[in-house]
Amino acid sequence: MRTIALALAATTAITAPVQASDIYRILGPVMTDPSVEQINARCDFYAGQVDLRRDAMLGDSEAATIANTLERYDDITALLFSGSSEAGLYQQVLLTPEQRDAGGACAARLTGLSSEISLSRPLYDRLSALDVSGADAMVQNYYSDTMAAFRRAGVSLDEDKRARVQEINDALAALSTEFARNIAEDVRTIDVTPEELAGLPQDYIDAREVGENGTITLTTASTDYVPVMTYADSDNLRERYAQVYGQRAYPANDDVLRQVFALRAELAELTGFENYAALQFSNRMLDTPQKVEDLIAQTDAAARPVAQADYDQALAVLQQLRPGAERIESYQLGWLSPKVQQANYAYDPQEAREYFLHDNVRDGIFDLTQKLFDVEVREWDTPVWHESVGAYELVEDGEVIGRFYLDSHPRPGKYTHANVVPLFSGSPEPGQVPVASLVQNMPEGLMVHGQVTTFLHEFGHVLHYIFGSRHELAGTSMINVEWDFIEAPSQILENWVYDYDTLSTFAVNAEGETIPRDLVERMNAVRHFNQGMFEMRQLGLTATSYNLYTQPTPNDLGEATREWQQAYSLVPISPTSEMQAAFGHLDGYGAAYYTYGWSRVIAADMFSRFVEEGLTNPETAADYRRLVLEPGGSRPAAELVRDFVGRDISFDAFQRDLEKGLPAE
């Protein structure tokens, strides 16, 4: 705490602009147990530095140049990004509600300041006077994107309308904090008897205490919920538990969502767009609502027959287990999947689980990173905010090129899903390296294979950020890539968790035995079962995200959400589900949940080159890093993919993968 206090005290004496890439060096690592006052002081520093940089830019009487205008503006945006990201991390992971609330308040404050910058006519006019015709293509592309972002934000509006846009953005920032807090803190419980846990792994049962009344209290944390929904024999238990889980943050977040939808609709109207989706998509790869609708229709056509084949397999098994069953209920889906895998593919997820201990998985992912990209992952000696958090460095040729925190396990009040929080951008200068945090909710012991997949997926975001964020201009780094490409570099990595040579390096059981090759072969045989159902589920979420931002807000959000999901679901959606209240993507991803589906198309296309040339081919991996990851957002994503695969993006590889789930003729 004394070191933190001294670092903060030192910053109060800084009265000149500081290079954004130096912020991490000046402030040091993120604070690990700060008081509310310390969080506020850190926030003041970021805001003060933005003001100093803005004043220096606008007070310069010299003609606008890249150095005195574009680079200064780049520092402003980098400062705002780092400050709001760091505050967002505090909101997600710190241990007390007061700390988390202070982090959320700072994130909202800096988001509001970012809006103020984007609406500043003096800044826009200063940038407009800049001539970049003699600059290189990367600078010209960045300048063009910057000016387009100003115009999308509403900088061309009159003063009153710009003021209203600022009010809207301030309100949205506060609502975002409230929405996330409601999800994180609404942890519900259900009491069950030990007998009701029949079917679950014994280590799961043994880890839960039986109370004085003879019951076990389970929470809606994923480490409690997912195993029950996957393995508990009791339909009654799974139905009850699903009802509790499906109402997290309800009804509180329905009111928040209504305000968000109304404000974003008004924002779109003010800035000249038909709806918020049109505004949001305008700087994406799929840059119009029609293109997104086309993707939804194309994916539906490809996935629906595969999903029907999945459903038919599952129903046949259900009818053996529950004679007389005429349909599959939503609370039976997760439980049925391993039953079908065992009956039709001789694959038992519990057998595979014995080989996936969390720490071994972590080390295996690090080892894969080292082999693919010729780097070293080593421990980083730095304070952390909880004893379970790890800290690591990425090293190349003896030089640290990035750092990251790993916060793997659930705690009360912590963010409930998995994400990567980019913290500080790097630069080519020695010692100025990107820093990120991977926040997820994994069991401390054994993991199911799907959790291994999620772990590697999220770590892919860490690698993309580190490799793609060492640019002279922070705005050309990974944070500026089109946001509907952002999932592709993570989704491509998921393929390696089906590779025996990769798994055999870390997948060992308690006796030290390596995962058998035939088990991995069976894992691959079952891989495409339920892929069709998965894509249809994703389409339901995509339609929900899209429709809520393109149609009038429904009177009953839950009813509308259930209807939109039912249009793609082959099983009946529970009439008690209010999942929209805990659908965090409705805030951060807005209308653009389609990002995941589009990124899967891109990832399948890029992976086709690895299939042809070898999953561990060093030249292919080096090309992937150089052509796709390292450019970050310096060039359009479609060009990066074209450079790597040698042609424009195709839907074909994704469709071929899907069709592997169809029964053999």
Side-chain angles (χ1 to χ4, degrees), residues 190-210 215-218 224-225 227-229 231-234 237-238 240-241:
I190 181 173
D191 290 335
V192 304
T193 65
E195 293 75 21
E196 286 183 293
L197 297 182
L200 279 138
Q202 192 59 45
D203 62 307
Y204 177 97
I205 299 172
D206 293 343
R208 281 146 183 87
E209 183 179 352
V210 179
T215 64
I216 296 170
T217 299
L218 301 177
D224 277 359
Y225 179 73
V228 169
M229 299 305 293
Y231 299 113
D233 291 335
S234 171
L237 168 58
R238 282 184 273 102
R240 287 166 28 227
Y241 208 174

Side-chain angles (χ1 to χ4, degrees), residues 377-436:
V377 182
R378 71 185 186 196
E379 291 191 358
W380 170 29
D381 183 15
T382 190
V384 293
W385 50 88
H386 188 270
E387 60 185 9
S388 67
V389 176
Y392 303 90
E393 297 176 323
L394 209 62
V395 182
E396 183 171 35
D397 297 328
E399 177 190 357
V400 176
I401 63 171
R403 295 187 171 99
F404 64 94
Y405 300 94
L406 176 60
D407 188 345
S408 275
H409 309 301
R411 298 184 298 276
K414 180 186 168 184
Y415 177 77
T416 57
H417 293 289
N419 75 156
V420 170
V421 182
L423 294 167
F424 305 103
S425 294
S427 82
E429 297 298 320
Q432 296 179 353
V433 302
V435 183

Side-chain angles (χ1 to χ4, degrees), residues 482-643:
E482 294 100 318
W483 216 243
D484 52 356
F485 175 76
I486 200 69
E487 298 294 337
S490 290
Q491 288 164 343
I492 190 175
L493 282 182
E494 296 176 13
N495 292 283
W496 273 263
V497 299
Y498 289 91
D499 175 52
Y500 175 77
D501 291 338
T502 298
L503 293 178
S504 65
T505 64
F506 67 87
V508 296
N509 63 15
E511 287 71 41
E513 299 166 335
T514 301
I515 190 169
R517 185 180 291 274
D518 79 291
L519 177 56
V520 179
E521 289 173 352
R522 284 180 275 136
M523 183 187 296
N524 274 275
V526 77
R527 178 179 184 179
H528 298 285
F529 166 67
N530 257 351
Q531 190 173 350
M533 293 280 278
F534 170 80
E535 290 297 339
M536 297 304 287
R537 164 71 171 160
Q538 289 290 297
L539 286 175
L541 296 174
T542 297
T544 299
S545 162
Y546 180 79
N547 291 338
L548 284 170
Y549 285 104
T550 56
Q551 299 182 16
T553 301
N555 292 328
D556 187 327
L557 292 181
E559 180 181 20
T561 297
R562 293 189 292 271
E563 288 179 359
W564 291 326
Q565 293 188 346
Q566 192 65 72
Y568 297 96
S569 177
L570 276 66
V571 301
I573 300 298
S574 169
T576 66
S577 172
E578 299 288 349
M579 64 80 57
Q580 75 285 343
F583 188 10
H585 293 80
L586 287 178
D587 175 38
Y589 273 64
Y593 191 84
Y594 80 87
T595 291
Y596 288 94
W598 175 235
S599 291
R600 281 192 294 278
V601 171
I602 299 170
D605 208 23
M606 292 193 298
F607 186 64
S608 65
R609 181 174 166 189
F610 280 98
V611 172
E612 293 174 3
E613 300 175 6
L615 268 64
T616 56
N617 185 312
E619 293 181 0
T620 311
D623 278 355
Y624 175 65
R625 173 179 168 180
R626 176 175 58 88
L627 297 174
V628 177
L629 301 181
E630 289 182 352
S634 63
R635 295 170 57 212
E639 292 182 9
L640 307 184
V641 179
R642 186 184 305 119
D643 288 347

Side-chain angles (χ1 to χ4, degrees), residues 341-362:
Q341 292 172 353
Q342 293 172 44
N344 296 354
Y345 301 89
Y347 175 71
D348 182 358
Q350 283 298 303
E351 180 184 0
R353 178 175 177 265
E354 296 301 317
Y355 295 91
F356 296 128
L357 187 67
H358 173 273
D359 289 359
N360 292 345
V361 170
R362 175 200 63 206

